[in-house]
Amino acid sequence: MIHDMPNEQPSSSTRHEPSKQAANRMLPALYQAVWRWHFYAGVIFAPFLIILAFSGAVYLFKPQIEGMLYKDMLTVTSVGVQPIGADELIAKTERAYPGTTISSITFSDAPDQTVKMTAIRNGAATTMYADPYTGQIKGMMNSDETFSAFFKKMHSELVIGGTWANRLVELAACWGGILVITGLYLWWPRNRAAIMGTILPRLSKPGSRIFWRDLHAVPAFWLSLGILILIATGLPWSGVMGGQIDRIANATHTSYPPYAQSFLAKPESVTLTKDVAEDVPWAAENIPVPQSMSGDYVRLPVQDIVGIADQREVNKPYTISMPQGQRGVYTISTAHDKPGRDATLHVDSYSGAVLTDVRFADYGVMAKAITLGIALHEGRLFGLANQLLGLMTCMGLIVIAVSSYVMWRKRKPQGALGAPGKPKNRKASIGVVVIMLLFGAIMPLVGLSILIILCLDLLLLRRIRRLQSWFSA
């Protein structure tokens, strides 16, 4: 991300015709301009990328880690003959723990696993785990303080939380993609001599600048595709790009199927599934929620909804989210480890009529691709091999970032940032700025940051000599 200028640069030749001479003079200037953007992006965003890579690497192994940390809560001491009914389990829990209201219940696909219930307990979001055969609560945790919640918040909001932190994470991820692309341009091997240090490392002199340069360039070269895929598959969750992706999918009818909102006159004004239910697949998060029939009816017991889920062949583990309000619906949902088993059902809470039933097969092509990408990002698309591949990519990203910092410190002069100087060829600088603005047009936060950088350069760096000298402006 932050490194020395590539050893091999195109040089101008006086033996070619004028057009080739101009082109050859342009190429070193393009290198210098790209390197300059690459350097500054690395200086600013490498620390954030290390945090994202570390938290992502840990989160990949959430099932194994939580299985060890919370084993007593997640498993039962002995498997019974028949689980008790869902309504009895909920009623027993709410009686034993006054001030508790169950909002959802998740049924596992393993007989030795506890039933997970999310609840509001004395005003706090709480996760409770119950023995499905006895109804005994095996343990409970504040939903915001679990292992997965902590690392998820670190990965998406830098632990700080809030919109600004989330946007900063998105900005760092987007610039991470640009760092990979510009790095490939800078380090792509152009002759046999350049293979060493790009495709193969030179590790004969540990601690030398060449050692750290190759520790930066070689993993970056081999892992570039994996890093780009990892970044791209995480963007659907982001605040700005995620919204754009969702709007594109809906506008092109490549997200959830149109019939999922056929029961509504004005779907744009209703509650969305992600607002009322747990464990909802990405492609179904924005499906408008229908309403149950009105009137003086008795709400169906939860066990009847379990029967509907089984009748409809919804694969466990699935979650049943309770109705909200008089006309609320039950929602049966699963963002399954195997994306092909995703399901989202809205059920009338009085009649039991299935108002919405959306499965993976119903998704549009874009929603299917994003769903598979999310599963890949989380390390659950093809089991342990997926987790290990993600771990290797995350660890490689950390090595790339750390080695770039060491390289920079080794070449940084006293009293200056050590940034590459501006290329003398103005056309090259403008050309690279135009390319960067094209990236910004695709990624709005990147575009905004580029405009801020250009304004700072124009208004401050060019006017204050000390800053100009420090930044090599």
Side-chain angles (χ1 to χ4, degrees):
M1 294 174 187
I2 314 161
H3 46 63
D4 296 330
M5 191 73 166
N7 294 327
E8 298 296 329
Q9 292 184 43
S11 60
S12 58
S13 173
T14 58
R15 298 178 181 177
H16 296 305
E17 58 268 34
S19 61
K20 285 193 174 181
Q21 285 182 340
N24 287 341
R25 283 195 297 270
M26 177 73 78
L27 287 174
L30 284 173
Y31 263 73
Q32 189 80 8
V34 172
W35 186 31
R36 186 173 170 83
W37 278 99
H38 187 85
F39 174 88
Y40 279 114
V43 166
I44 297 168
F45 294 108
F48 298 105
L49 292 175
I50 291 173
I51 294 172
L52 292 179
F54 171 72
S55 58
V58 176
Y59 195 81
L60 281 168
F61 294 89
K62 168 192 166 185
Q64 292 93 331
I65 295 172
E66 288 197 332
M68 291 187 294
L69 290 177
Y70 310 133
K71 183 178 180 181
D72 292 341
M73 285 191 286
L74 297 177
T75 58
V76 298
T77 51
S78 61
V79 177
V81 178
Q82 182 69 33
I84 64 176
D87 299 279
E88 183 182 348
L89 180 60
I90 292 171
K92 190 172 184 178
T93 301
E94 292 181 343
R95 281 197 305 270
Y97 298 91
T100 298
T101 303
I102 303 300
S103 57
S104 75
I105 182 168
T106 301
F107 298 94
S108 174
D109 55 352
D112 64 338
Q113 296 291 302
T114 54
V115 173
K116 173 185 171 184
M117 294 181 287
T118 57
I120 300 299
R121 177 167 159 73
N122 298 323
T126 306
T127 304
M128 310 177 77
Y129 298 90
D131 186 320
Y133 306 101
T134 66
Q136 177 189 357
I137 296 299
K138 301 280 289 180
M140 65 178 73
M141 294 182 289
N142 186 314
S143 299
D144 296 326
E145 296 176 359
T146 63
F147 166 87
S148 58
F150 176 81
F151 279 95
K152 186 175 182 179
K153 193 169 184 179
M154 178 187 287
H155 196 67
S156 63
E157 298 177 351
L158 304 175
V159 181
I160 302 168
T163 301
W164 280 102
N166 178 264
R167 298 299 183 267
L168 184 56
V169 166
E170 180 179 349
L171 182 62
C174 290
W175 272 105
I178 294 174
L179 281 166
V180 172
I181 294 169
T182 53
L184 283 173
Y185 172 78
L186 292 170
W187 294 107
W188 193 266
R190 289 165 175 80
N191 52 47
R192 288 186 179 180
I195 288 176
M196 294 303 296
T198 302
I199 295 178
L200 299 173
R202 295 164 293 182
L203 305 177
S204 58
K205 296 181 179 179
S208 67
R209 282 177 63 181
I210 289 178
F211 171 86
W212 288 105
R213 171 206 175 280
D214 289 5
L215 200 60
H216 175 78
V218 175
F221 180 84
W222 287 109
L223 295 175
S224 56
L225 181 61
I227 294 171
L228 287 173
I229 290 174
L230 206 61
I231 291 171
T233 53
L235 287 178
W237 286 306
S238 61
V240 179
M241 281 292 291
Q244 282 192 325
I245 292 168
D246 185 63
R247 283 190 292 273
I248 292 170
N250 291 335
T252 56
H253 303 293
T254 54
S255 187
Y256 55 79
Y259 72 74
Q261 58 182 28
S262 60
F263 49 82
L264 295 162
K266 294 181 179 179
E268 66 273 10
S269 64
V270 301
T271 304
L272 302 178
T273 300
K274 64 182 178 182
D275 298 326
V276 299
E278 304 279 342
D279 194 29
V280 180
W282 178 89
E285 285 183 343
N286 292 317
I287 293 178
V289 179
Q291 293 182 328
S292 294
M293 66 172 69
S294 59
D296 296 326
Y297 301 101
V298 177
R299 180 162 281 159
L300 291 173
V302 179
Q303 194 59 38
D304 283 9
I305 310 304
V306 173
I308 291 171
D310 294 340
Q311 182 186 13
R312 292 274 178 150
E313 297 181 344
V314 178
N315 288 277
K316 291 180 179 178
Y318 60 71
T319 298
I320 297 176
S321 298
M322 306 304 160
Q324 295 187 11
Q326 192 67 23
R327 299 195 63 186
V329 296
Y330 284 107
T331 300
I332 306 167
S333 55
T334 175
H336 207 279
D337 285 347
K338 296 180 179 178
R341 298 179 179 178
D342 279 4
T344 306
L345 287 73
H346 292 133
V347 181
D348 188 297
S349 60
Y350 303 107
S351 69
V354 177
L355 305 175
T356 308
D357 187 346
V358 177
R359 312 295 176 103
F360 180 83
D362 301 317
Y363 298 167
V365 62
M366 192 170 175
K368 284 180 179 177
I370 292 171
T371 300
L372 293 171
I374 287 173
L376 177 69
H377 189 93
E378 292 185 326
R380 53 186 176 84
L381 187 59
F382 44 91
L384 181 61
N386 190 167
Q387 291 176 304
L388 294 175
L389 185 62
L391 177 65
M392 181 180 69
T393 305
C394 290
M395 292 298 99
L397 184 55
I398 292 173
V399 169
I400 293 165
V402 171
S403 60
S404 71
Y405 177 79
V406 175
M407 249 194 322
W408 168 54
R409 295 298 300 175
K410 282 182 171 290
R411 67 177 292 280
K412 179 184 177 298
Q414 190 79 17
L417 183 62
K422 280 187 175 180
K424 295 180 181 179
N425 191 313
R426 186 174 176 80
K427 289 183 179 179
S429 295
I430 294 173
V432 173
V433 168
V434 170
I435 293 171
M436 298 303 294
L437 289 172
L438 289 175
F439 281 125
I442 298 170
M443 298 173 282
L445 289 182
V446 169
L448 179 61
S449 66
I450 291 173
L451 292 176
I452 292 172
I453 290 168
L454 294 175
C455 288
L456 289 174
D457 182 42
L458 184 65
L459 299 176
L460 288 179
L461 300 186
R462 295 187 185 184
R463 297 171 183 268
I464 303 174
R465 285 191 175 183
R466 291 188 65 181
L467 289 177
Q468 194 174 26
S469 174
W470 172 263
F471 286 101
S472 302

